[in-house]
Amino acid sequence: DQEIQENNDENEEAMDSVADFDDGFADDLASSNSDDELGRVLGLGLEDEPKFADVSSITTIPFGGEERNHQIPCVLCTEIIRGSRYKCPKCHYFNICSSCEKTTDHVHDLLKIRKPHTDTKNDDFDAKVSEIEGDFPDGCEVLPGSHITKMFMVRNSGLKSWPSGVKLTLLKPKEIDVEFNYEDVIPLERGQEEVIELSFTAANIPGEYFYLWSLCLEDDAPFGSNFIASVKVISQEEEERKQNLPQEEETKVDNIKALKEFDSKVDPIEDNYPLGGSIQAGTEINKLFMVKNTGSKQWPHDLKLIMVQFKDFKYDYVPIASLAPDEESV
């Protein structure tokens, strides 16, 4: 009790010494979750280079004297951050612990945050959303009022299991009514995956439309990645005109389709070298990618991999397999 009281006295003295700041400055900065928010509190534009700043000189020790954690993992060692957190004001994803900060030379100056965000409700719940290929790819053309179905693979990437009552909420567009429905969202355990089928009705007026949904808790607090869809609504006359293209136009369309005979989809596989991570100069990096033949023909045997930037870099790769359509390889 005496240690907690002494710490509270130090906190009050530290707060009194910050005469030029608003009363909520430390809390605002400690809870900032984006570059814009940090810039707003610090009075910086994104083009400014902030100096290293200890933005919270107040050490918070809760009842029992144990050090509070920030409820988010370090991007380098993946452990939950306890004690001080170091956040990059320009790289939204970059949060590291005090141990990794000692051996890391990040490209930007870091902000030191000792006091965790007191409201960790949405930090506990997160979701990774990826679209499953289907009959309605983004940007596809549809007739007014068409019924569209999209499939998404959803993974609980947060710190806690989802509660019951999680729902999908339409964020955009707000200017028109959109009829949509989906199966009940299963309360996923941490790391568990589930396919969610989302159906909606296209607008009745021709034009390009962008749709955005988010998972929400029962109190309507959104969390996780967004569900995204985009379509181009065309009139019945436009559809008929396209069906009656002259032979010359049909030939052009065939030529465009021929360009899709060879195509691929490349997805990175999680490894020890996350995007934007810091490493020692001269470190040899090994990356893995899942490659899928999304074209209509089998790949030839003489495919090669070329670097389109930093052409003086040295690199090597395993010979590329001759994949058949829809076949995958690492």
Side-chain angles (χ1 to χ4, degrees):
D1 292 342
Q2 181 179 358
E3 181 181 359
I4 294 175
Q5 183 60 45
E6 290 175 354
N7 180 76
N8 291 337
D9 293 339
E10 292 177 0
N11 291 351
E12 293 177 0
E13 293 176 3
M15 286 300 291
D16 292 339
S17 66
V18 190
D20 295 331
F21 293 93
D22 292 337
D23 292 339
F25 174 79
D27 286 340
D28 285 347
L29 191 51
S31 62
S32 296
N33 290 320
S34 71
D35 299 345
D36 291 340
E37 292 174 1
L38 284 169
R40 173 182 59 78
V41 179
L42 287 172
L44 298 174
L46 293 181
E47 71 278 1
D48 295 321
E49 284 290 343
K51 300 302 181 183
F52 185 88
D54 184 352
V55 301
S56 175
S57 60
I58 306 167
T59 302
T60 301
I61 300 179
F63 183 79
E66 295 183 2
E67 207 169 36
R68 292 177 64 181
N69 69 64
H70 292 257
Q71 297 294 322
I72 59 175
C74 171
V75 298
L76 299 182
C77 67
T78 70
E79 296 292 332
I80 297 298
I81 298 176
R82 297 180 180 277
S84 296
R85 171 164 66 105
Y86 293 83
K87 178 179 179 64
C88 177
K90 294 196 172 185
C91 306
H92 172 65
Y93 66 89
F94 197 84
N95 290 278
I96 60 174
C97 64
S98 56
S99 298
C100 291
E101 187 275 334
K102 297 176 182 178
T103 58
T104 299
D105 185 17
H106 189 58
V107 65
H108 300 133
D109 294 315
L110 302 178
L111 297 169
K112 183 178 181 180
I113 303 174
R114 290 182 180 176
K115 184 178 179 180
H117 188 351
T118 55
D119 181 10
T120 59
K121 186 172 185 179
N122 280 9
D123 294 334
D124 292 336
F125 303 110
D126 203 356
K128 181 180 179 182
V129 180
S130 56
E131 182 181 346
I132 300 174
E133 293 184 10
D135 297 331
F136 297 96
D138 285 339
C140 65
E141 295 182 346
V142 297
L143 293 174
S146 296
H147 186 72
I148 300 169
T149 299
K150 306 272 285 187
M151 307 286 287
F152 296 90
M153 178 64 72
V154 182
R155 180 175 183 267
N156 181 350
S157 56
L159 300 173
K160 291 185 177 181
S161 300
W162 295 353
S164 58
V166 173
K167 57 188 177 183
L168 268 179
T169 299
L170 180 70
L171 303 180
K172 292 184 179 180
K174 295 183 177 180
E175 62 274 9
I176 61 173
D177 292 330
V178 179
E179 296 181 4
F180 71 95
N181 57 76
Y182 58 94
E183 297 178 355
D184 291 339
V185 180
I186 299 176
L188 298 180
E189 300 291 331
R190 182 180 178 184
Q192 187 179 1
E193 293 182 331
E194 180 69 22
V195 175
I196 292 182
E197 181 176 306
L198 173 62
S199 300
F200 64 98
T201 303
N204 292 319
I205 301 175
E208 295 183 355
Y209 294 86
F210 178 79
Y211 302 87
L212 197 67
W213 292 267
S214 176
L215 291 168
C216 291
L217 302 174
E218 281 189 317
D219 60 358
D220 293 330
F223 69 93
S225 303
N226 292 321
F227 296 68
I228 299 174
S230 62
V231 298
K232 181 178 180 181
V233 179
I234 61 174
S235 64
Q236 185 67 45
E237 293 77 9
E238 178 70 9
E239 176 68 15
E240 293 175 356
R241 188 189 68 81
K242 290 188 175 185
Q243 293 180 357
N244 297 320
L245 284 174
Q247 185 63 38
E248 180 179 353
E249 292 297 322
E250 290 182 358
T251 302
K252 290 182 181 180
V253 173
D254 291 339
N255 291 337
I256 294 175
K257 290 181 179 179
L259 296 177
K260 286 294 185 179
E261 290 181 351
F262 297 104
D263 203 355
S264 65
K265 180 183 178 183
V266 181
D267 292 313
I269 298 175
E270 292 185 6
D271 53 29
N272 295 326
Y273 302 98
L275 184 64
S278 300
I279 58 173
Q280 297 288 337
T283 301
E284 181 177 319
I285 303 172
N286 295 303
K287 300 287 290 184
L288 294 175
F289 298 89
M290 179 62 72
V291 183
K292 180 179 180 180
N293 180 352
T294 56
S296 59
K297 286 190 176 183
Q298 182 164 347
W299 293 354
H301 293 276
D302 56 352
L303 288 181
K304 57 184 179 180
L305 194 65
I306 62 172
M307 179 172 282
V308 295
Q309 286 184 323
F310 311 112
K311 295 184 179 180
D312 56 340
F313 273 35
K314 295 181 180 179
Y315 67 99
D316 195 6
Y317 57 93
V318 175
I320 302 173
S322 174
L323 299 181
D326 296 326
E327 190 176 2
E328 295 180 327
S329 178
V330 177

